[in-house]
Amino acid sequence: MAGHTAKRSELGNKYLLELGGDYAGWLADLSGRAACGDIETGPTGRLRSRRDELAATTDLAMPPAFFRWLLGSFSEPLRGEDGVIALVDADGGRLSQMHFSGAVVTALTVPVLDVRRPGQPKLALKFSPSATRQSVPRGPPIAPAVLERRRPALTSEPQLEIDGLAEECSNIRRYEALTVAQAIAVGPAGALTRARPLVATPLIVTLPESKARGFILWADRLSPGATSQRTATLTIGPPQLGFSVVLHNLRIGKIRYEDTTLDGEGTARLRRDATIEMSATRVSFCMLPRE
């Protein structure tokens, strides 16, 4: 796939992803050894029994098939997916395609989200297939409706829920990037296992100090390093789909304060923001349709 040169889509999304025969969205970037290997000239391609790791970025508003893949990858037991990634030119033509089997997502990064600076943030993921093969472009033509979805779709603002802190969460202005990762191992007969529990980087949020009273009281009541029974649920994705990262047994690590200048008519004003850093002892995922 890397050996071809294509006119880059003005929208950035140039790789079509299909999982189990279903449309699963567009990828903006794709990198990794399995994606850049030699292309077999025969009609079926050459099978590679490697478990290389590929990296890609996607829009937040991906189809349900994509989020089901994430759920299966981080479930117990792990569930991999078979699929196809096609390199597509600006006019919708297939330039090349890679077939993969047993692919499991090994890392997912929710990007920095700032409600004051709307844009098109991208999810980043790494995934590991059990085998890949390149082939000449085959398969049905790309439907016009699928090509239209190349344009980033609307996403809902991220929703964070923490037990007992509903008002504080509604005033969050910024979320730092959050990464969840796992290490996988191949057992007897090719069965996949998780080498160690899921790990997540700290959940870091920023809100006005005047709205952060619940966080401050929580930190004052906990001894240093102690965990609580509170759970954080961060929901992202398209408006009709509730895909959530769930962080269990939170503890507060740090609270930092910073003065921010507010622009506006008349005299500039200062606001003091609080940045809260939290860690969890366990991570899980869920997906429930939004009402």
Side-chain angles (χ1 to χ4, degrees), residues 90-143:
D91 299 318
R94 293 177 186 250
L95 299 177
S96 66
Q97 56 190 20
M98 179 182 69
H99 300 259
F100 59 84
S101 58
V104 173
V105 178
T106 55
L108 173 70
T109 298
V110 180
V112 173
L113 300 169
D114 194 324
V115 299
R116 299 162 298 185
R117 297 183 177 88
Q120 294 294 341
K122 299 281 187 182
L123 286 174
L125 68 150
K126 294 180 180 180
F127 60 99
S128 183
S130 61
T132 66
R133 65 176 174 85
Q134 304 279 357
S135 72
V136 296
R138 291 178 181 270
I142 298 174

Side-chain angles (χ1 to χ4, degrees), residues 10 17 74 89 103-104 107 111 122 198 205 213 229 239 270:
E10 61 180 358
L17 174 65
F74 292 112
D89 65 21
V104 173
K122 299 281 187 182
L198 296 177
V205 299
R213 178 175 173 80
Q229 297 301 311
L270 290 178

Side-chain angles (χ1 to χ4, degrees), residues 150-172:
R150 201 170 191 167
R151 187 178 304 277
L154 293 177
T155 59
S156 297
E157 287 188 0
Q159 295 181 1
L160 179 66
E161 299 178 9
I162 300 178
D163 301 333
L165 298 172
E167 182 177 355
E168 286 79 3
C169 289
S170 68
N171 285 285
I172 290 174

Side-chain angles (χ1 to χ4, degrees), residues 46-74:
R46 180 172 56 196
L47 188 67
R48 299 175 178 83
S49 295
R50 304 186 311 193
R51 187 159 283 281
D52 287 336
E53 197 168 57
L54 305 174
T57 60
T58 77
D59 296 321
L60 290 178
M62 295 291 278
F66 174 83
F67 288 105
R68 288 195 295 268
W69 180 34
L70 296 183
L71 285 178
S73 293
F74 292 112

